[in-house]
Amino acid sequence: MSNNYGDGIKLWGDSSFVSNTLVYGTGGGYDHSTPWCLLVIDTDDPNAYFEVVNNTFWDSPERVPHYTATIQYDESTNPTTFLFRNNIVCGLRMFYNAPIVDIIAENNLFYICDGDYNIQIAAGGIEYADTTIGDLGTGNIYGNPLFVYPQWEIDGDFHLQDTSPAINAGTDSGLLDDLDFQMRPYDAIYDIGCYEWQGSTEISNIEKEFDSIRFHAFYMPSRGSLILRSTCPGEFSIFDISGKLHLSGKLDGESIIKFEPTTGVYLVKFAMQNMQKTSKFVVVR
């Protein structure tokens, strides 16, 4: 969920869950105050249950400060159980849970940092600061997650640098892979966030040129077409989840490609200069 003007993710139905998701750029680049949060849960279902596991939430320091998340902010008298595990939360204002929320928070990395403001999360009527975040639950920590290239308004790279405190700080959440479909865990210990560090993140390949390079893939079932857009020349390859190559070619600008996939998950890899970007789409028939 990147550079969306409104809320990042909003859940309201009992037994909803979200996992392996990256949310950043909330507020759409507007420099004035907006009420939007990276995560919102508001339900009128009595005693509802929610799970948020292995996600990365990043709010830009350029944005006017606002809560990173609100849980039962409007439905503050409705009891809710909320499992929050293996997530990274970065922003300028705390992650707010109404006192009525029964939160189970485990192995999360918080980095709410704005001058003297250091409240990371409100939970059970208690505000936890950077120095007391360990009291929230097992394995919760504070620190800069050290993303490769966090950006607002443009495409960023939120993989972990090799010195990130999120590496080997997670716990088994039942997920077998990450947002890139890479195996969890990589080296026997789980990481925090939507990406499992694979020992291959190279900062040197991420240059300022990345700011002006964008690649997007859109699949339109009604037309049986895949639309690829890029801002620089490159080569694309389409793979299914098993790694089988279905189509490849050159791309410069926008191309409309006739592609008739079966049901499944597909990855479109776009290589340009010394960099590579990947987009994925799911086909359901």
Side-chain angles (χ1 to χ4, degrees):
M1 299 288 294
S2 63
N3 300 309
N4 191 38
Y5 176 74
D7 293 318
I9 291 177
K10 191 168 185 177
L11 307 177
W12 57 86
D14 182 20
S15 298
S16 295
F17 68 92
V18 57
S19 60
N20 278 346
T21 300
L22 168 64
V23 183
Y24 71 96
T26 299
Y30 287 81
D31 58 5
H32 59 269
S33 180
T34 59
W36 314 116
C37 298
L38 302 172
L39 172 68
V40 173
I41 297 178
D42 258 310
T43 183
D44 57 7
D45 292 339
N47 299 305
Y49 176 79
F50 296 88
E51 284 190 6
V52 175
V53 175
N54 275 110
N55 304 285
T56 296
F57 301 96
W58 182 81
D59 221 357
S60 171
E62 299 176 42
R63 185 185 172 200
V64 176
H66 192 71
Y67 286 148
T68 54
T70 58
I71 314 300
Q72 292 300 85
Y73 186 88
D74 293 321
E75 299 287 344
S76 59
T77 61
N78 189 27
T80 302
T81 300
F82 176 38
L83 174 64
F84 192 67
R85 177 182 290 153
N86 284 359
N87 300 284
I88 297 175
V89 181
C90 296
L92 300 177
R93 290 294 181 268
M94 67 176 168
F95 189 112
Y96 175 80
N97 295 265
I100 198 69
V101 175
D102 180 15
I103 182 172
I104 305 165
E106 300 173 345
N107 297 83
N108 301 291
L109 172 61
F110 293 88
Y111 191 56
I112 308 300
C113 183
D114 182 19
D116 294 331
Y117 185 92
N118 64 356
I119 301 301
Q120 305 301 303
I121 186 172
I126 301 173
E127 292 184 348
Y128 296 86
D130 52 353
T131 56
T132 59
I133 195 63
D135 297 333
L136 175 65
T138 303
N140 295 296
I141 56 177
Y142 171 84
N144 187 337
L146 299 177
F147 298 123
V148 170
Y149 195 66
Q151 290 293 313
W152 198 31
E153 299 183 78
I154 63 176
D155 292 343
D157 187 340
F158 290 83
H159 289 83
L160 303 173
Q161 298 184 36
D162 58 9
T163 55
S164 170
I167 298 173
N168 293 341
T171 187
D172 186 357
S173 60
L175 298 175
L176 300 179
D177 54 19
D178 68 2
L179 182 56
D180 286 336
F181 301 102
Q182 299 290 337
M183 182 179 66
R184 289 187 188 274
Y186 169 69
D187 55 358
I189 304 177
Y190 294 83
D191 297 343
I192 298 176
C194 65
Y195 294 117
E196 186 83 1
W197 184 74
Q198 298 293 321
S200 60
T201 301
E202 291 293 341
I203 308 303
S204 60
N205 286 340
I206 307 299
E207 303 173 356
K208 281 299 180 181
E209 293 178 58
F210 193 83
D211 289 0
S212 61
I213 296 174
R214 297 192 182 191
F215 169 68
H216 299 283
F218 306 87
Y219 180 66
M220 301 182 65
S222 61
R223 296 169 57 181
S225 299
L226 184 67
I227 299 178
L228 304 179
R229 294 175 180 167
S230 71
T231 56
C232 73
E235 297 182 350
F236 73 89
S237 302
I238 302 174
F239 299 86
D240 61 27
I241 193 62
S242 70
K244 178 183 177 181
L245 176 64
H246 286 258
L247 192 65
S248 63
K250 297 185 180 296
L251 182 64
D252 186 5
E254 178 173 297
S255 295
I256 300 177
I257 300 167
K258 284 294 181 181
F259 183 56
E260 294 291 346
T262 58
T263 298
V265 179
Y266 294 84
L267 301 178
V268 184
K269 295 186 177 181
F270 180 62
M272 65 288 189
Q273 301 172 15
N274 294 321
M275 293 173 282
Q276 179 176 284
K277 302 191 72 176
T278 303
S279 182
K280 72 177 179 181
F281 62 94
V282 181
V283 177
V284 179
R285 297 188 183 280

